Amino acid sequence: MMKEGMMDENESSELTEDEKRLFADLMPEDLSEILDTGVNRRHFLKLMTLAGGGILAAQSAVAEQLMTRPFNEAAPADYALESIENGVNVSFKVNGTARKLTVDSRMTLLDTLRERLDLTGSKKGCDHGQCGACTVIINGHRVLSCLTLAASCEGKTVQTIEGLAQGNSLHPVQEAFLKHDGFQCGFCTPGQICSAVAMLDEAKKGHLSYVSETVRQPAGPAKLSNEEIRERMSGNICRCGAYPNIVAAIQEVHSGKPVEQVFRSV
């Protein structure tokens, strides 16, 4: 059944034969459950851990294909529209799909994404705009969704971590995070990646930062040092301390040149 406000159908989540063989080889204890119920968040995180450990080298193409697919989640309880106080209609695009919802005028974008649209990639960390785990991209700009009211997104375009990959191809920043092991527990990773994608676009447009050498420089693509990447990404906190790997991943995408994998050099 089509959910409220959803105008496009999601792609099929049925596993291919290669994907079934991947799980049979690497996660045989979970295979029966995966075949019965599909890939859920626990399976996804387990696969990400294997990828971070370099175990998937031989099956990397199949693993990347899996990581771009939506995984199964229990559907949230249906909202009774009559129970919504101060209801406001909002229409916007999320990851290229038009959405139309009635939300409480006080409901944040983060809660709307997670509780109404099943897009749980954006994380609720501090819920005070201080950790960056909830970062999404609105009209090309990185925004803290925990401090943004859903009602204020009328007519806007929202991109979350689920919308970065194109079909079976990961976004270059996602690929770089995998290559450079830019995560440990992974909780902050969706916000880190969304922030990095928008930040790199800001740099291409010549936007300045607090550590730009001169504010009088002509507008144009900015060449980012590692120090400037750290400053521009300072709103995204990683409790695991994977910062050197995160900076290396972003620098590789920004420069277009291979960057030494920090975790292999220590």
Side-chain angles (χ1 to χ4, degrees):
M1 182 178 67
M2 183 175 290
K3 296 176 182 178
E4 177 192 12
M6 189 172 185
M7 298 185 180
D8 294 337
E9 293 288 351
N10 285 330
E11 60 184 289
S12 170
S13 58
E14 186 175 348
L15 297 179
T16 66
E17 290 304 315
D18 284 342
E19 291 167 349
K20 291 176 184 175
R21 279 194 289 274
L22 176 71
F23 282 119
D25 290 342
L26 298 175
M27 299 162 54
E29 67 280 9
D30 298 312
L31 183 59
S32 296
E33 180 184 350
I34 291 171
L35 293 177
D36 288 341
T37 62
V39 180
N40 61 30
R41 177 179 306 280
R42 180 172 59 80
H43 304 139
F44 180 82
L45 291 175
K46 194 170 183 179
L47 189 65
M48 290 283 285
T49 301
L50 293 171
I55 297 175
L56 294 180
Q59 302 106 328
S60 58
V62 179
E64 286 189 8
Q65 175 178 299
L66 266 168
M67 290 175 185
T68 64
R69 300 174 60 150
F71 49 85
N72 296 338
E73 286 285 350
D78 288 339
Y79 271 76
L81 295 180
E82 61 272 16
S83 69
I84 296 176
E85 296 182 7
N86 307 309
V88 175
N89 293 326
V90 58
S91 300
F92 55 162
K93 276 191 174 181
V94 181
N95 299 332
T97 300
R99 305 281 190 166
K100 186 174 182 180
L101 298 170
T102 300
V103 299
D104 188 310
S105 60
R106 300 160 294 184
M107 193 173 195
T108 66
L109 175 61
L110 176 61
D111 287 340
T112 302
L113 292 171
R114 293 180 57 83
E115 298 176 15
R116 299 294 301 278
L117 300 179
D118 298 347
L119 295 172
T120 54
S122 304
K123 296 296 185 285
K124 181 177 284 191
C126 67
D127 205 22
H128 286 75
Q130 297 179 345
C131 74
C134 66
T135 304
V136 299
I137 303 170
I138 298 180
N139 288 356
H141 302 285
R142 45 186 170 160
V143 170
L144 298 169
S145 59
C146 76
L147 296 184
T148 303
L149 292 175
S152 70
C153 295
E154 174 68 26
K156 296 182 178 177
T157 298
V158 179
Q159 192 171 27
T160 70
I161 188 68
E162 293 91 343
L164 291 181
Q166 298 295 317
N168 290 330
S169 299
L170 292 175
H171 189 283
V173 175
Q174 291 175 303
E175 290 184 342
F177 266 65
L178 282 173
K179 175 182 175 182
H180 288 276
D181 200 21
F183 53 86
Q184 290 187 34
C185 78
F187 189 84
C188 72
T189 306
Q192 296 275 4
I193 291 177
C194 283
S195 186
V197 169
M199 184 276 288
L200 291 174
D201 189 52
E202 293 167 7
K204 282 183 181 178
K205 295 176 180 174
H207 293 186
L208 303 178
S209 76
Y210 285 112
V211 294
S212 296
E213 291 186 359
T214 172
V215 296
R216 300 180 184 279
Q217 68 183 33
K223 185 176 181 180
L224 303 180
S225 63
N226 288 347
E227 289 73 21
E228 185 156 1
I229 289 175
R230 281 195 283 271
E231 194 284 327
R232 289 179 183 252
M233 292 292 294
S234 60
N236 290 82
I237 306 301
C238 173
R239 292 177 295 181
C240 302
Y243 296 113
N245 306 32
I246 292 171
V247 171
I250 296 172
Q251 184 60 264
E252 181 159 307
V253 177
H254 171 64
S255 65
K257 300 177 181 176
V259 172
E260 182 180 7
Q261 292 172 286
V262 178
F263 67 97
R264 294 187 186 280
S265 63
V266 294

